[in-house]
Amino acid sequence: MPFTFQFGGFDPNAFGGGFNPGGGFSGAGDAAQRPRKARRPRKPIGNALTRTLINMAVTLVFALGYFYVELPALNFHAEEFYVFAFLICAVYCGCAVLTSGFQGTGVKGYAGFLKKQCTIPLFAFLALVVVIVVGSLASWVVLRASSYSELLEIQSGDFATDIEEISYDQIPMLDADSAARLGSRKLGELSDMVSQFEILPTYTQINYQGRPVRVTSLAYGDLIKWFTNRSAGLPAYLIIDMVTQEAEVVRLDEGMKYTTAEHFGRNLYRHLRFQYPTMMFDEPVFEIDEEGTPYWICSRIVKTIGLFGGKDVQGAVLVNAITGESEYYEEVPSWVDRVYSYDIIMEQYDYYGMYHNGFLNSMFGQRDVTLTTEGWNYIVIDDDVYMYTGVTSVTSDQSNIGFILSNQRTKETHFYSIAGATETSAMDSAQSQVQQMNYKATFPLLLNIADQPTYFMALKGNDGLVKMYAMVNVQQYDIVSTGSTVADCESNYRQTLAHRGLIGAGDAAVSGGESKVEQGVIAEIRSAVIDGNTHYYVRMEHSVGYLDFSAAEVPRAVLLDKGDQIWYSYVLEGAEFPENGIVHADGFWFEGETPPAETAESAA
């Protein structure tokens, strides 16, 4: 028997129905069966021509705005071009939906409408998808491994012949971080600039007037400072001498108005894109010519394998940072030092090392498969800057099988088959020599010392300043020498090489630098044992620097005493005797003995 609840005057049906134990709610369910109110149709805007013009105008405005902000290259080899094209198609189709009063329902309705109203954009979209798929397959390394391995032409080289010895007073002593510190400190000394400008962190190492230097431009401190200074442009750039460790702010008669720090039309990227809309560019680098005129070197990127593979460089656009004048060169002028970036060179060598015996060999067997090491550095050879990086077997990360030197202007690359320590191992060896100091080694520079491939690096303290220098033999990385100056370090290293029988006694002396002979009275003597050799540090009267006599090189230095009047010869590092510094001394003569300079004059 059915039952119902009655609560006084409460009528469940007054609220749209009551509870039916046999079948749920009842009473007001009829409302769910009411017919839906028909949706009012959206009216199209104008006629077909009007709608088309509106769609095209909106799409054009979007395209111009996107192009101005994002600056995509209008080139089928550029991935960003397809993003740009797809967005244009999407914007046009979206406008067509809004202006045509779309009446369809669901996915099928949208598809049918778009097919009718947006035939050309849809066709362009599908065509671009086909181009991407075909181009990607044509660029696939699995199918084109041989082409990838041929991107970089490798020549074999002889280290002792190709890499000349350089004097210690020409060795770059700073890494990028130390150069940046010097630059910031120098700018901080200039009160008229430090309040308005900052330094671009992207230093470029070049060879300027025969010296290895790093250069960079100033940048505006912020948007307000750009607004107040933009009419005059950036007033200066910085030069950091990698040998003397001197920083110079070069003031310009006319400021630089085309830089990466500019905005709107004078922004370097926008300036380039508007002049060369179809070219792809690598990241611009700042350089100066031999007269000190600032330029931006903008390497042109090309894809040489299929549609998207085989990244390479074909010439460069040189932009005058002051006037904005630009010119494209297939063969860049000889003063330009950096056209090929380190990552392009290393990527191309990795393709060669991985695939020169085929793709399958790179996966299975891995015969003669090699890769570059993780770091790189730069050296100057014949007025060109070369990038250096080690090469190691893919099956081992403990040692190098050799290294490559690649000209950053021409991409001429030589491989030197010299088995030895990796750069990381050399850094660890150098740090272990001074482990009590807790110094950290910078990434090594490769040098030729007495025909021995040698890693040279600075040892820095926790404050980031260079404290000492170290040299590590590439082939026998247990041969490590350190010194408070580069001359001292090289002298110790040569003595160690001679002691180990790797070089003759005649090569044990430090070469290069300006040799001087002077007379004076000894005011102070100190001694220390370094790498098993006793060094006597002698300070002459009226001098604050010290002469370093190595007992291995000058055995009778043990006879020196405070108050002795002597003639002494030393190799000058830089233009003058350094204050509170140490220079390498290679001989002395007591009063009454004849020094070499007087002997030469007597012979004349």
Side-chain angles (χ1 to χ4, degrees), residues 137-298:
L137 287 174
S139 309
W140 195 17
V141 69
V142 175
L143 303 178
R144 305 293 301 276
S146 176
S147 298
Y148 278 94
S149 70
E150 295 171 356
L151 285 170
L152 185 65
E153 183 179 350
I154 310 293
Q155 304 176 40
S156 296
D158 179 78
F159 179 81
T161 303
D162 295 350
I163 314 300
E164 296 182 357
E165 290 191 52
I166 62 175
S167 171
Y168 68 81
D169 61 352
Q170 296 177 319
I171 297 174
M173 304 182 205
L174 298 175
D175 63 343
D177 179 67
S178 298
R181 286 174 179 268
L182 283 177
S184 297
R185 187 185 305 163
K186 185 65 177 180
L187 185 64
E189 297 172 0
L190 305 175
S191 58
D192 62 322
M193 289 191 180
V194 71
S195 62
Q196 298 296 310
F197 306 100
E198 57 187 27
I199 300 174
L200 279 181
T202 51
Y203 283 82
T204 308
Q205 183 163 329
I206 63 172
N207 194 46
Y208 175 59
Q209 297 181 349
R211 302 283 289 182
V213 301
R214 287 183 183 266
V215 293
T216 191
S217 169
L218 295 182
Y220 299 101
D222 52 44
L223 188 62
I224 300 300
K225 293 170 182 175
W226 166 79
F227 187 80
T228 56
N229 291 284
R230 62 188 175 86
S231 59
L234 295 170
Y237 58 82
L238 272 77
I239 299 179
I240 311 296
D241 193 304
M242 303 293 286
V243 177
T244 65
Q245 305 184 47
E246 295 178 352
E248 179 185 4
V249 176
V250 179
R251 296 179 182 266
L252 299 167
D253 295 333
E254 184 179 354
M256 295 180 288
K257 297 182 175 65
Y258 294 85
T259 72
T260 56
E262 280 288 348
H263 299 276
F264 304 112
R266 286 184 355 196
N267 177 269
L268 179 65
Y269 302 105
R270 190 164 289 114
H271 182 68
L272 272 175
R273 179 56 63 226
F274 287 171
Q275 290 194 320
Y276 305 92
T278 63
M279 283 191 182
M280 299 181 293
F281 293 102
D282 201 359
E283 185 67 22
V285 295
F286 184 81
E287 288 198 33
I288 56 177
D289 64 13
E290 294 301 308
E291 287 72 43
T293 305
Y295 281 87
W296 292 96
I297 312 303
C298 311

Side-chain angles (χ1 to χ4, degrees), residues 532-550:
N533 293 321
T534 301
H535 289 253
Y536 295 91
Y537 298 96
V538 177
R539 183 175 65 82
M540 308 302 293
E541 289 183 354
H542 311 298
S543 174
V544 293
Y546 287 83
L547 299 165
D548 174 17
F549 292 96
S550 170

Side-chain angles (χ1 to χ4, degrees), residues 9-193:
F10 177 76
D11 183 4
N13 292 328
F15 287 85
F19 181 79
N20 186 348
F25 287 97
S26 64
D30 296 340
Q33 300 176 5
R34 293 174 185 171
R36 242 184 219 181
K37 187 176 180 181
R39 188 178 62 180
R40 294 181 60 184
R42 289 194 290 263
K43 293 182 179 180
I45 298 175
N47 55 35
L49 178 60
T50 302
R51 293 193 293 273
T52 301
L53 291 176
I54 291 175
N55 298 339
M56 293 178 64
V58 172
T59 304
L60 180 61
V61 170
F62 167 81
L64 292 175
Y66 184 90
F67 183 80
Y68 185 85
V69 174
E70 295 297 328
L71 305 173
L74 304 181
N75 190 313
F76 283 103
H77 292 281
E79 290 86 348
E80 66 267 21
F81 168 75
Y82 296 92
V83 175
F84 182 43
F86 288 152
L87 287 174
I88 289 176
C89 294
V91 169
Y92 185 91
C93 292
C95 288
V97 170
L98 296 176
T99 59
S100 298
F102 172 64
Q103 301 296 320
T105 57
V107 176
K108 186 175 181 180
Y110 272 99
F113 172 83
L114 291 175
K115 182 177 179 181
K116 180 180 178 181
Q117 300 291 331
C118 309
T119 303
I120 294 178
L122 285 176
F123 177 79
F125 179 87
L126 294 174
L128 289 173
V129 170
V130 172
V131 170
I132 291 174
V133 172
V134 174
S136 298
L137 287 174
S139 309
W140 195 17
V141 69
V142 175
L143 303 178
R144 305 293 301 276
S146 176
S147 298
Y148 278 94
S149 70
E150 295 171 356
L151 285 170
L152 185 65
E153 183 179 350
I154 310 293
Q155 304 176 40
S156 296
D158 179 78
F159 179 81
T161 303
D162 295 350
I163 314 300
E164 296 182 357
E165 290 191 52
I166 62 175
S167 171
Y168 68 81
D169 61 352
Q170 296 177 319
I171 297 174
M173 304 182 205
L174 298 175
D175 63 343
D177 179 67
S178 298
R181 286 174 179 268
L182 283 177
S184 297
R185 187 185 305 163
K186 185 65 177 180
L187 185 64
E189 297 172 0
L190 305 175
S191 58
D192 62 322
M193 289 191 180

Side-chain angles (χ1 to χ4, degrees), residues 41 70 124 227 269 278 304 469 477 496 529 558:
E70 295 297 328
F227 187 80
Y269 302 105
T278 63
T304 61
Y469 302 94
Y477 65 100
T496 304
V529 177
V558 68

